[in-house]
Amino acid sequence: MRSNPSKQINNLRLVLSTLSGKRVKIRNIRSKDDNPGLRDFEASFIRLLDKHECNIQRSVGYYLEALLMLAPFMKTPLRAVLKGVTNDPTDPSVDLLKVTAIPLMKKFGIDGDGLEIKVLKRGMAPAGGGEVLFTCPVRRSMKPVHLTEPGKIKRIRGTAFSVRVSPQMANRIVDSARSILNKFIPDIYIYTDHMKGASSGKSPGFGLTLVAETVNGTFLGAEVVSTPQGQGDPVLPEDLGRNCAKLLLEEVYRGGCVDSTNQSLALLYMMLGQQDVSKTLLGPLSPYTVEFLRHIRDFFQIMFKIEQQKPGEDERKGGEKVLMTCVGAGYSNISKTIK
């Protein structure tokens, strides 16, 4: 879950302005703040439309989330190399988006060999030095979806990574995470990733990304990363592993067919889809998602039907869910020729 959703709202408006073709003016940015105006990373986001060097005040995931929304509607398939911070405590990491957003995109018909997120070099905050390859095919339109049955969890996968610290850090993370997760499911495999030399970035650190996959192809993710060098109290790898495992269990309890990180991506694809009904079951809506729905209404005049789904008698169904329904706007990528 995002600690401060408001940090991304201007980006959402820029993305929706690009897709809708409507002009947007953002005035009085932090006018009452001691440091008014755009932050460096926000100006960097605007420049990202032309190039792919990411400001290290935010991670690559901050920029990548917007590209996930825009890439399928570009004139030609996208191949972007994003350089900067791959993992930090603020933004979704490239590891998390790889294991949750990519499978979600495939459900909307964005698939094939050309869809990939690949970590070429890992770069921890604060100095970065990472490099990520994102490739995405273009599509003429989004197909409607009916994602209403998440299904039971069948396996858990993960990646424990460490750079510029002992490789044993990753092993300690794996052991501590498994100490919690082994109580719930036997099919668990957590990879260890220890990049060295030029591939290890400029700052030390470690972290863990976990994803729970259901029998129906739902992917629910969670992640924790170590405190950036010089920015607070250090965290033990054992504590980090346990905390990440607990966050994954919380995400499973919230449930739905899309995890909390990718709620807005799913709703955007639903809204832009063919002029047919799409339905998706979500866990509790995050403040970020609620704000996103307001912007969708402002830019596209599309409103979702929101139905609260009470949990049944079976406690294993988790918390309250929300069924989101809309009729697609019939958005068409006019740059994509009909085959």
Side-chain angles (χ1 to χ4, degrees):
M1 301 290 282
R2 300 165 197 272
S3 57
N4 191 350
S6 63
K7 290 184 178 180
Q8 292 252 106
I9 296 307
N10 286 338
N11 285 11
L12 293 179
R13 294 166 70 182
L14 291 171
V15 167
L16 293 173
S17 173
T18 302
L19 290 170
S20 65
K22 292 184 178 180
R23 293 182 179 180
V24 60
K25 290 184 179 180
I26 304 174
R27 297 189 179 94
N28 300 321
I29 298 174
R30 300 186 180 91
S31 58
K32 298 180 180 179
D33 197 286
D34 292 338
N35 184 20
L38 285 174
R39 300 287 185 259
D40 289 344
F41 61 83
E42 291 168 324
S44 176
F45 173 82
I46 297 172
R47 290 192 294 269
L48 185 67
L49 296 177
D50 297 313
K51 65 174 186 175
H52 309 300
E53 193 80 29
C54 303
N55 188 283
I56 59 173
Q57 291 177 351
R58 300 294 290 264
S59 82
V60 167
Y62 169 83
Y63 303 91
L64 187 55
E65 281 190 298
L67 289 181
L68 292 172
M69 295 179 174
L70 292 171
F73 307 103
M74 293 183 176
K75 187 174 182 178
T76 57
L78 177 66
R79 186 183 190 277
V81 177
L82 306 175
K83 299 178 181 180
V85 174
T86 56
N87 306 83
D88 75 357
T90 305
D91 301 304
S93 73
V94 292
D95 301 274
L96 185 66
L97 294 174
K98 177 179 180 178
V99 296
T100 57
I102 295 296
L104 176 63
M105 295 172 75
K106 292 178 179 180
K107 292 181 183 294
F108 286 88
I110 310 165
D111 51 17
D113 295 336
L115 181 63
E116 182 184 25
I117 296 175
K118 185 176 182 180
V119 180
L120 304 176
K121 300 178 182 178
R122 196 173 292 281
M124 303 296 294
E131 196 169 294
V132 177
L133 172 66
F134 172 49
T135 59
C136 182
V138 294
R139 290 293 178 265
R140 185 170 180 82
S141 61
M142 292 288 172
K143 70 177 186 181
V145 296
H146 284 74
L147 307 176
T148 56
E149 293 293 334
K152 294 183 178 181
I153 304 297
K154 68 175 182 179
R155 63 187 174 199
I156 293 174
R157 295 293 182 265
T159 300
F161 62 86
S162 58
V163 290
R164 299 191 175 275
V165 295
S166 168
Q168 285 301 314
M169 292 292 194
N171 296 328
R172 290 163 64 184
I173 291 171
V174 172
D175 291 342
S176 60
R178 290 187 68 104
S179 70
I180 291 178
L181 298 175
N182 282 344
K183 302 172 185 176
F184 298 94
I185 191 170
D187 191 352
I188 301 172
Y189 193 88
I190 303 174
Y191 300 86
T192 56
D193 175 8
H194 183 73
M195 289 189 173
K196 300 178 180 179
S199 298
S200 63
K202 301 176 182 178
S203 296
F206 49 87
L208 174 63
T209 301
L210 294 171
V211 61
E213 181 183 354
T214 76
V215 294
N216 290 344
T218 292
F219 292 81
L220 306 172
E223 63 179 359
V224 179
V225 66
S226 60
T227 307
Q229 187 180 33
Q231 294 185 10
D233 295 331
V235 60
L236 291 172
E238 287 79 9
D239 291 339
L240 186 147
R242 285 189 291 268
N243 289 341
C244 192
K246 291 175 182 176
L247 285 177
L248 182 68
L249 295 177
E250 289 178 11
E251 191 68 44
V252 170
Y253 179 81
R254 282 194 291 269
C257 296
V258 179
D259 70 341
S260 55
T261 298
N262 294 289
Q263 286 179 351
S264 55
L265 182 64
L267 295 176
L268 177 78
Y269 287 167
M270 289 171 65
M271 181 273 296
L272 293 174
Q274 299 169 14
Q275 291 181 324
D276 201 348
V277 175
S278 283
K279 295 176 180 279
T280 297
L281 187 70
L282 300 178
L285 300 182
S286 68
Y288 180 86
T289 302
V290 172
E291 192 68 26
F292 187 70
L293 288 169
R294 294 192 182 108
H295 290 309
I296 284 179
R297 177 196 61 199
D298 294 342
F299 282 93
F300 287 91
Q301 290 74 53
I302 296 281
M303 296 183 68
F304 282 75
K305 181 181 179 182
I306 303 175
E307 300 173 86
Q308 297 287 339
Q309 306 286 300
K310 295 287 185 180
E313 295 180 1
D314 187 351
E315 293 182 357
R316 290 174 296 179
K317 294 291 185 181
E320 291 188 2
K321 309 293 188 293
V322 183
L323 182 63
M324 306 294 292
T325 306
C326 80
V327 176
Y331 189 88
S332 180
N333 183 354
I334 59 175
S335 299
K336 173 71 174 175
T337 56
I338 302 176
K339 292 182 179 180

